[in-house]
């Protein structure tokens, strides 16, 4: 069992867990994810590793309660544990010094974005972070992101925190005032689609982390397949990060709606 040693609620339906997993904590890199299971016969749930502490031997997972299995996870308390945690899985984020990097996070997508923000800053990039959500209580990890970025921009649909508007509004404002060398976007599929459209118009390299349905995490089931550059790719082994301008978002969104 992988014991929970700390739990924090970000909002009514989003919880953060610090979990004992020393081997995963040591091997994990930005962009990696795990597949967790609670209870014998429980559903396998993919979760990106939001942070890791090698000294404590822990990893940080952020979970949004949207279905039976994620609600069960969010009901766990300190002292409880995950039956299984498999990982780290996927390909780590390619980190290098490119100049100015704009990191766009929507909703719980901020959790997997945080380690990328840290790594980009440690690689001596100028990092601008744009966090977006429907309303103020849904903006998570604001203080942690602020610690690692050069500038933090917050966008909310209702204007209850930061500026009123979408993540693309904040992105376009940054592009208009300075040269942007790379964009990273993680969040709902529709958000990433429109970030990709915005940056493609300016020929800015853009990376997205895809959140498709996933079962085994080894590329055997095919549930996570997406079309990238006209070819079939599997998010679990070829991703989860891809060139945003090559992803067929319409196909991906349609498949997500059918599951």
């Amino acid at each position: 069992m992988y014991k929970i040693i700390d739990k924090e609620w970000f909002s009514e339906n989003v919880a953060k867990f610090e979990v004992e997993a020393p081997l995963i904590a040591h091997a994990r890199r930005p962009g990696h994810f795990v597949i967790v299971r609670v209870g014998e016969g429980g559903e396998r749930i993919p979760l990106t590793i939001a942070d890791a502490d090698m000294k404590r031997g822990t990893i940080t997972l952020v979970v949004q309660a949207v279905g039976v299995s994620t609600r069960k996870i969010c009901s766990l308390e300190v002292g409880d544990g995950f039956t299984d945690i498999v990982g780290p899985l996927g390909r780590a984020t390619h980190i290098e010094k490119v100049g100015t990097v704009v990191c766009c996070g929507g909703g719980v997508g901020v959790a997997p974005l945080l380690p990328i923000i840290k790594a980009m800053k440690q690689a001596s990039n100028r990092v601008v972070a744009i966090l977006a959500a429907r309303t103020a209580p849904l903006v998570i990890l604001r203080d942690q992101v602020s610690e690692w970025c050069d500038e933090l921009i917050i966008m909310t649909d209702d204007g209850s925190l930061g500026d009123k508007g979408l993540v693309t509004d904040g992105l376009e404002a940054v592009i208009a005032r300075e040269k942007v060398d790379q964009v990273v976007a993680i969040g709902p599929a529709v958000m990433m689609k429109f970030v990709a459209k915005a940056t493609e118009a300016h020929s800015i390299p853009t990376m997205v982390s895809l959140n498709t349905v996933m079962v085994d995490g080894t590329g055997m089931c095919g549930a996570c397949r997406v079309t990238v550059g006209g070819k079939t790719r599997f998010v679990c082994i070829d991703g989860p990060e891809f060139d945003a301008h090559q992803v067929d978002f319409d196909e991906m969104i349609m498949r997500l709606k059918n599951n």
Side-chain angles (χ1 to χ4, degrees):
M1 186 177 76
Y2 296 82
K3 186 178 179 181
I4 297 168
I5 65 170
D6 189 48
K7 178 184 180 182
E8 176 186 350
W9 285 100
F10 284 143
S11 66
E12 183 179 354
N13 295 312
V14 180
K16 181 186 77 169
F17 296 91
E18 187 175 3
V19 186
E20 288 183 342
L23 294 178
I24 297 174
H26 187 268
R28 153 267 180 197
R29 298 293 181 270
H32 280 152
F33 67 95
V34 294
I35 291 181
V36 307
R37 191 168 64 98
V38 176
E40 294 300 327
E43 183 182 3
R44 294 162 60 86
I45 304 294
L47 299 170
T48 307
I49 304 170
D51 203 356
D53 188 324
M54 286 190 286
K55 290 184 179 179
R56 287 163 60 89
T58 62
I59 59 173
T60 299
L61 305 174
V62 175
V63 185
Q64 183 176 25
V66 293
V68 173
S69 296
T70 48
R71 284 196 293 270
K72 184 176 181 179
I73 291 173
C74 287
S75 71
L76 298 174
E77 300 294 344
V78 173
D80 295 333
F82 292 85
T83 306
D84 298 311
I85 300 182
V86 178
L89 301 172
R91 296 178 180 270
T93 306
H94 176 70
I95 303 293
E96 64 177 330
K97 183 179 180 180
V98 296
T100 296
V101 181
V102 179
C103 296
C104 304
V108 293
V110 176
L113 189 66
L114 177 58
I116 296 174
I117 291 172
K118 288 183 179 181
M120 287 294 187
K121 186 59 186 173
Q122 289 171 335
S124 300
N125 291 289
R126 166 172 161 76
V127 179
V128 178
I130 305 175
L131 309 187
R134 294 193 308 274
T135 189
L138 300 181
V139 179
I140 67 172
L141 295 168
R142 180 176 43 173
D143 293 340
Q144 292 91 329
V145 168
S146 180
E147 180 182 351
W148 287 97
C149 67
D150 296 279
E151 180 181 0
L152 174 61
I153 298 170
I154 297 176
M155 307 294 300
T156 49
D157 292 358
D158 60 5
S160 56
L161 184 64
D163 296 322
K164 184 176 182 179
L166 304 175
V167 67
T168 47
D169 296 321
L171 176 59
E172 290 284 6
V174 175
I175 293 172
R177 77 178 191 215
E178 64 181 283
K179 181 180 183 294
V180 174
D181 299 286
Q182 184 178 351
V183 170
V184 181
I186 306 180
V190 171
M191 183 210 94
M192 293 188 288
K193 171 184 174 179
F194 283 99
V195 167
K197 283 182 175 291
T199 58
E200 190 170 22
H202 298 280
S203 300
I204 301 171
T206 303
M207 179 192 75
V208 290
S209 181
L210 303 185
N211 52 355
T212 54
V213 173
M214 200 175 294
V215 180
D216 67 288
T218 64
M220 296 182 66
C221 72
C224 67
R225 66 187 182 276
V226 291
T227 300
V228 182
K231 298 180 179 180
T232 298
R233 294 288 183 261
F234 299 102
V235 173
C236 64
I237 56 173
D238 298 318
E241 297 167 359
F242 296 94
D243 179 344
H245 302 153
Q246 297 294 313
V247 176
D248 186 337
F249 280 104
D250 291 334
E251 178 192 66
M252 175 183 161
I253 291 168
M254 179 182 67
R255 295 193 70 236
L256 286 171
K257 288 179 178 178
N258 290 335
N259 285 283

